[in-house]
Amino acid sequence: MNKKNEATREKARQILKDGICDMSIARLIQMSQFGLMGNIKLSNGTLTVENVFNHISYDVENNAISFSVEESQGSYGAISFPVDAISEISGCEDKENPEEYLDVDIKLNDGMTIVIKILY
């Protein structure tokens, strides 16, 4: 990779990192526009569900965000939740792999927690 492409890539990584570390519901919705991928983990204290994703979509009509795997054969493994159910949201560098992942931590009104690890 040439120096200009490397500089552009690093600038894009920094912009993404800055946005994630200053996470809000509006920024979460904006994530659906950027082709991000990673994994998502939901937990209610008893049960944990984890899935990879390469597609994020936002349904305006239902005010819900979905994380899924999109392939030529279709979509599978979708994990969705209503944006209105978010009681807390924050973002940070991943503690185990800060050079590879950014984390979005979400708590829903019903106590469920969601951790979204975004590959960057």
Side-chain angles (χ1 to χ4, degrees):
M1 189 179 295
N2 67 37
K3 289 184 181 186
K4 183 177 179 182
N5 287 344
E6 183 65 28
T8 301
R9 182 175 182 269
E10 285 305 312
K11 184 176 179 182
R13 284 174 52 98
Q14 188 62 47
I15 290 169
L16 178 61
K17 179 180 171 183
D18 291 347
I20 297 296
C21 291
D22 189 28
M23 183 53 62
S24 65
I25 291 174
R27 286 216 167 108
L28 178 68
I29 292 168
Q30 288 174 343
M31 285 173 41
S32 66
Q33 302 170 11
F34 300 117
L36 302 173
M37 55 192 207
N39 65 44
I40 181 169
K41 180 169 55 172
L42 284 77
S43 178
N44 66 3
T46 304
L47 179 65
T48 299
V49 176
E50 190 167 354
N51 200 10
V52 297
F53 66 87
N54 66 3
H55 182 78
I56 304 170
S57 60
Y58 175 66
D59 181 342
V60 175
E61 186 175 311
N62 294 313
N63 198 26
I65 194 159
S66 297
F67 297 80
S68 62
V69 174
E70 296 283 324
E71 293 186 343
S72 60
Q73 300 89 357
S75 173
Y76 65 90
I79 294 176
S80 304
F81 56 92
V83 174
D84 293 342
I86 297 172
S87 61
E88 296 175 28
I89 188 167
S90 63
C92 62
E93 290 181 329
D94 184 74
K95 290 169 185 51
E96 296 172 9
N97 296 303
E99 294 300 315
E100 293 185 39
Y101 291 98
L102 298 169
D103 293 350
V104 176
D105 299 312
I106 298 171
K107 186 172 183 180
L108 301 181
N109 294 329
D110 63 3
M112 183 173 287
T113 60
I114 301 168
V115 176
I116 304 166
K117 288 186 173 292
I118 300 166
L119 183 64
Y120 90 116

